[in-house]
Amino acid sequence: MDITLALGGGGAKGNAHIGVLRKLEAEGFRVRAVAGTSFGGIVASMYAFGKTPDQIEELFAGVDQNRLYGHAAGDGPSLLGLAGASKLFDDAFGAATFDDLHLPCALTGVDLKSAREVILTEGLVRDALLATIALPGIFPPRKIQDWELVDGGTLDPVPVQVARMLAPGLPVVAVVLTSPVGEPTRTMEVNIPYIPHILVRRITRMRPAQAFDIFLQAVDIGNRQMAELQLEADDPEVIIRPAVTHIQLLDKVDVHEVAKLGEAAVDAVLPELKRVTAWPAKFARKIGMK
């Protein structure tokens, strides 16, 4: 039962991707290619590099989340830096390039200069990761070649077409972490390391911070709508939606518990997954009928 995966962005919610991968393997599905953006890009690249879901989970669970977001020399303007994340990627990938990956894999970014999506399939994996997770304004843009790249989810929250490009003819399973359209928005907190929680609470009561929160909530509404419209246009064969809408982008989470949410989400769509990988569906795709 061969599939290709499109792993969406969502910050700390993305730990659910680990459980999705583990459950898919346990049910006998074979991932032949994987595309990802933002946190989905991190999981996608590690899986393509040969790490098992259990290994990825243990790696993430062992990370000190307070040390991920320090600034490094040369960082562009941003609220937080990625010094800790950069070290994590160095340790995990070293000088590995996309040619060293065991599965076809693509990450996405958005070039601020051209306002276009950039599909990253060559060069150093660590550089592509620092681009695909560069949340605009939160983390510094990443310069690669002539591009100035930010988070790929800015334009395409779930890279379905990229996944389809990697493995034509295979069903695309899209893992979506954004909240559904119509669900009420929540206060958008940014957990800033090194600042005591009581001070963060005082800052969030200030009028500029409250105004920024309204702006972020409006952006979130737009991103949800964009994600739904993009999914409707790209039409993945199966959509998996882990129940992670209660988690915010930079929340400190129990990685093991969030991964379980991914496993439960696969359980919910198992009949559909088996249908799209059965021979009648394969035949229909081969002759151009979905």
Side-chain angles (χ1 to χ4, degrees):
M1 296 186 288
D2 293 345
I3 58 173
T4 181
L5 282 180
L7 303 183
K13 302 175 185 179
N15 290 287
H17 290 316
I18 302 168
V20 169
L21 286 167
R22 180 162 49 228
K23 186 64 175 178
L24 288 172
E25 286 187 352
E27 293 293 335
F29 295 96
R30 294 177 294 270
V31 178
R32 297 305 192 188
V34 58
T37 192
S38 197
F39 202 109
I42 301 175
V43 178
S45 57
M46 289 193 171
Y47 190 69
F49 197 41
K51 292 187 181 297
T52 68
D54 287 349
Q55 289 172 332
I56 298 171
E57 182 173 333
E58 289 308 311
L59 176 63
F60 290 175
V63 169
D64 183 348
Q65 297 174 45
N66 282 322
R67 296 183 177 275
L68 286 176
Y69 308 125
H71 281 283
D75 277 353
S78 59
L79 179 61
L80 303 174
L82 287 171
S86 180
K87 184 180 185 307
L88 174 67
F89 300 152
D90 281 338
D91 292 342
F93 294 99
T97 69
F98 281 86
D99 290 336
D100 297 312
L101 301 181
H102 304 303
L103 289 175
C105 177
L107 310 184
T108 65
V110 173
D111 178 29
L112 291 175
K113 297 178 181 178
S114 64
R116 294 181 182 275
E117 182 179 44
V118 174
I119 300 171
L120 300 165
T121 57
E122 59 183 29
L124 292 173
V125 176
R126 64 173 302 280
D127 285 348
L129 285 170
L130 290 170
T132 197
I133 67 171
L135 287 164
I138 305 297
F139 299 129
R142 186 72 179 179
K143 293 183 179 179
I144 298 178
Q145 299 180 26
D146 293 329
W147 301 313
E148 190 171 4
L149 298 174
V150 295
D151 191 325
T154 305
L155 285 180
D156 190 0
V158 191
V160 172
Q161 287 290 14
V162 179
R164 191 166 278 139
M165 172 196 73
L166 291 174
L170 290 184
V172 177
V173 177
V175 186
V176 182
L177 304 178
T178 53
S179 300
V181 172
E183 183 172 298
T185 60
R186 299 171 58 231
T187 298
M188 305 292 287
E189 296 179 359
V190 176
N191 296 314
I192 305 176
Y194 318 119
I195 297 181
H197 183 65
I198 189 171
L199 182 55
V200 171
R201 290 182 62 184
R202 288 177 183 171
I203 293 172
T204 57
R205 294 193 185 105
M206 296 179 180
R207 290 179 66 86
Q210 292 173 344
F212 185 57
D213 176 66
I214 292 170
F215 169 74
L216 289 177
Q217 290 184 64
V219 170
D220 178 57
I221 293 169
N223 284 343
R224 293 191 212 178
Q225 186 68 56
M226 179 175 62
E228 295 304 314
L229 291 173
Q230 194 72 46
L231 287 168
E232 184 177 345
D234 293 343
D235 198 17
E237 278 71 15
V238 178
I239 294 176
I240 298 175
R241 284 187 182 271
V244 293
T245 57
H246 60 289
I247 301 172
Q248 299 205 43
L249 287 174
L250 301 182
D251 277 353
K252 296 177 186 176
V253 297
D254 183 325
V255 173
H256 306 297
E257 291 302 315
V258 180
K260 289 178 183 177
L261 298 176
E263 295 182 55
V266 174
D267 271 332
V269 298
L270 266 180
E272 186 66 8
L273 282 166
K274 291 179 179 178
R275 184 191 68 79
V276 302
T277 52
W279 74 264
K282 291 180 184 178
F283 181 72
R285 283 192 298 275
K286 195 167 186 178
I287 63 174
M289 299 170 56
K290 193 164 180 180

